[in-house]
Amino acid sequence: MAGSLLKSTSIVGSMTLVSRVLGFIRDQLQARLFGAGAAMDVFFVAFRIPNLFRRLFAEGAFTQAFVPVLSEARATRTPEEVRQLVDVVAGTLGGVMALIGGLAVIGAPLVMFLFAPGFAHHDPAKFALGVELLRWTFPYLPLISLTAFLAGILNAHGRFAEAAFNPAWMNVCLIAAAWWFAPSVEALAIGVLISGVVQLAFLLPSVARLGLLPRPRWGWSDPEVRRIIGLMLPIAFGSSVSQLSLLLDTVIASFLPGDGNVSWLWYADRLMEFPLGTFSVAIATVILPSLARQHSQRSEAQFSATLDWGLRVILVIGVPATLGLFLLAGPLVSTLFQSAAFTAHSVRMTAWALMAYATGFLGFSLVKILVPGFYARQETRIPVRYAVVAFVSGMAASASLTLAAIRLGFVAPHAAIAVATSAGAWINAMLLLARLRRDRIWRPAPGWDVFALRLLAANGAMAALLLWLAGDLESWITATFVSRAVRLAAAIAGGMALYFAVLAAGGLRLRHFRLAAG
């Protein structure tokens, strides 16, 4: 595949940025029209449940298993055999996900109880609304699973733009639902379902142009389907431990007294997802087909170089993103979400959650980059083992820290949940990195010491500036929206300018990140 990883990443990142900006508009509209009360707590749970399964089985496990298998098939088999693989995977995946979706709709009360037991215990009305919303949102799962399948075909062929842009349609549908039908959370749930139809339809023409428009047929016993399923099962947990941790956050938050806890964590997570989805996921998406191809060609040196490139790029982006999210947590939440419905109290509580999640941003990002180093080699056991360790550690920490926060009278006990989730991400990332290093899968290229010094200097200068510009949160809460927006834009622009200026003064250039996608 011609071109460079940097170019491919910039394409994915720019297309994803469009979706993330629309996502910000969606979140702002929801915050201003619906606030952070009981109804939105329920909607976010009903939305998060199918979203979790999407990330576990569709965009997570399925993509990580399917893309390497399809890339290998393209390199070693005839075009007709590749088309047969696409047909049988489409039929089997669609059938299984339709069955799961149907069972979830029928058993919605049980599903809601499993994922938000606190609603049933504290507020039966919230629980009943959650069941109703879940019956609208869960059919989204089979639709988006087939969408992920089509995206995997495009990515394996080096076509990243369409799939990266596609999530924007969900935001468009939810913006329309919020704008026209507020304050009906039922309309938001219906918008989720409609978005699944739109996203699937959007990718069909692009796949058709490749001559791979699926003719689905059932093939559970097909050897390649069995192989993909065998890879998917452990990947479903190993590559998505952060999503399981976030779901655990929701379960524990549903038991906290009062309304708003789930919403505060949701809005904070959405702010963290902006750079995570725009940059970290973009890099991981681009390097997986390259790593799979390099492994099939037994090019160990190129494999290591691709991982090394990914780590350097994510540090250049991830470290300042972590500092920005932490130091500007209050200003970000106040500027983007504060309104009559989203009160000053919600701003403070969401800011606490964002600072807690920010401590784990780089850990989440590193996992995204490191996991493809295992799955491209079709090695699933090791990352699963590490993910289990991280998940269990985070689960224990979440329960214990939250209880301690409540007993000590901490004003924001929900933030303890986010701290534990961040700790789990770091444990997972460090175990993965150490194993790749120990097995010499990743061999650091020369220049890491100089690179680290450049990052230290640039991030230190930027952090000092942001700390000074952020000031006191109360000054943001009492300001007008225009004043907040101008002040936040100046802080972000000034921080970025200083950061890249210091990097440039230290000798870091764009050419240092050009790597052929071999």
Side-chain angles (χ1 to χ4, degrees):
M1 181 174 62
S4 69
L5 290 177
L6 184 62
K7 179 180 178 182
S8 297
T9 302
S10 66
I11 291 172
V12 176
S14 60
M15 291 296 100
T16 305
L17 181 61
V18 174
S19 175
R20 295 294 169 174
V21 170
L22 288 171
F24 261 144
I25 296 172
R26 179 195 83 190
D27 293 335
Q28 282 184 301
L29 195 60
Q30 289 176 352
R32 293 178 183 277
L33 295 177
F34 297 89
M40 290 307 287
D41 279 357
V42 175
F43 170 72
F44 289 143
V45 172
F47 182 38
R48 174 158 278 171
I49 294 172
N51 227 28
L52 167 75
F53 284 95
R54 170 181 68 86
R55 296 194 181 192
L56 284 176
F57 298 113
E59 295 176 357
F62 176 76
T63 299
Q64 298 275 10
F66 176 62
V67 171
V69 172
L70 182 60
S71 297
E72 180 182 305
R74 289 187 62 225
T76 60
R77 301 189 181 184
T78 66
E80 181 58 31
E81 289 174 322
V82 172
R83 281 192 291 272
Q84 292 175 2
L85 172 63
V86 168
D87 293 344
V88 75
V89 172
T92 308
L93 175 70
V96 170
M97 288 302 169
L99 177 62
I100 293 174
L103 291 174
V105 169
I106 295 170
L110 176 60
V111 176
M112 181 57 63
F113 181 79
L114 290 174
F115 290 103
F119 289 173
H121 181 70
H122 292 301
D123 193 336
K126 289 175 71 173
F127 181 80
L129 178 60
V131 171
E132 179 187 351
L133 298 186
L134 189 60
R135 285 182 167 142
W136 281 110
T137 60
F138 218 101
Y140 167 77
L141 176 61
L143 294 168
I144 205 62
S145 297
L146 289 173
T147 301
F149 164 69
L150 299 180
I153 295 174
L154 294 171
N155 289 346
H157 286 76
R159 300 280 298 274
F160 299 106
E162 299 97 325
F165 175 81
N166 200 34
W169 292 113
M170 165 175 274
N171 296 320
V172 170
C173 292
L174 289 180
I175 288 169
W179 182 262
W180 291 108
F181 298 104
S184 169
V185 291
E186 291 85 352
L188 293 179
I190 295 172
V192 172
L193 175 58
I194 293 173
S195 76
V197 177
V198 174
Q199 290 180 81
L200 179 62
F202 178 72
L203 291 186
L204 285 172
S206 298
V207 175
R209 284 193 289 270
L210 294 175
L212 291 174
L213 191 66
R215 295 164 294 181
R217 58 186 179 87
W218 181 255
W220 184 262
S221 60
D222 185 272
E224 290 303 311
V225 171
R226 290 282 184 171
R227 182 181 170 198
I228 292 171
I229 292 172
L231 293 171
M232 277 182 65
L233 292 178
I235 293 174
F237 188 84
S239 66
S240 301
V241 65
S242 63
Q243 297 307 312
L244 290 171
S245 298
L246 290 172
L247 184 61
L248 177 66
D249 293 354
T250 301
V251 173
I252 296 177
S254 73
F255 282 102
L256 293 177
D259 295 325
N261 292 287
V262 173
S263 297
W264 298 329
L265 288 168
W266 171 274
Y267 285 117
D269 176 54
R270 291 295 302 161
L271 286 171
M272 186 185 70
E273 281 286 335
F274 184 88
L276 186 67
T278 303
F279 303 112
S280 308
V281 175
I283 298 168
T285 299
V286 168
I287 67 174
L288 178 59
S290 292
L291 289 173
R293 194 163 45 252
Q294 290 156 3
H295 175 68
S296 65
Q297 296 170 350
R298 301 185 182 278
S299 179
E300 296 180 2
Q302 279 191 314
F303 195 99
S304 175
T306 300
L307 276 178
D308 193 84
W309 176 88
L311 289 171
R312 293 194 189 217
V313 172
I314 202 58
L315 288 175
V316 166
I317 297 169
V319 176
T322 296
L323 291 172
L325 288 172
F326 187 89
L327 296 174
L328 296 177
L332 281 166
V333 174
S334 177
T335 303
L336 294 171
F337 300 139
Q338 186 179 340
S339 66
F342 200 94
T343 64
H345 177 64
S346 290
V347 169
R348 297 186 189 95
M349 294 300 101
T350 305
W352 275 110
L354 180 55
M355 286 189 288
Y357 277 139
T359 62
F361 174 80
L362 194 55
F364 290 122
S365 298
L366 288 171
V367 170
K368 296 288 186 185
I369 304 303
L370 295 171
V371 161
F374 292 90
Y375 294 150
R377 297 180 293 117
Q378 300 178 29
E379 168 58 72
T380 60
R381 292 172 297 174
I382 292 173
V384 167
R385 192 159 63 241
Y386 294 158
V388 170
V389 172
F391 179 68
V392 172
S393 301
M395 183 168 56
S398 187
S400 58
L401 287 176
T402 304
L403 286 174
I406 293 173
R407 292 190 176 185
L408 293 172
F410 180 49
V411 68
H414 64 284
I417 301 174
V419 167
T421 301
S422 296
W426 273 109
I427 291 171
N428 197 14
M430 291 301 99
L431 289 172
L432 291 168
L433 186 65
R435 185 57 181 257
L436 288 170
R437 185 77 176 94
R438 193 191 80 181
D439 292 348
R440 297 185 60 78
I441 302 300
W442 171 55
R443 297 184 294 277
W448 267 94
D449 50 351
V450 176
F451 177 70
L453 288 174
R454 288 167 172 162
L455 283 185
L456 181 63
N459 282 286
M462 186 196 73
L465 178 63
L466 291 184
L467 189 62
W468 176 62
L469 292 175
D472 182 62
L473 178 56
E474 295 305 313
S475 67
W476 293 82
I477 291 175
T478 56
T480 64
F481 170 74
V482 173
S483 176
R484 291 195 301 264
V486 171
R487 189 175 167 189
L488 180 62
I492 294 174
M496 289 178 60
L498 180 60
Y499 174 71
F500 286 110
V502 175
L503 283 181
L508 195 65
R509 298 291 184 270
L510 187 62
R511 67 174 182 273
H512 294 149
F513 295 96
R514 292 197 176 101
L515 178 68

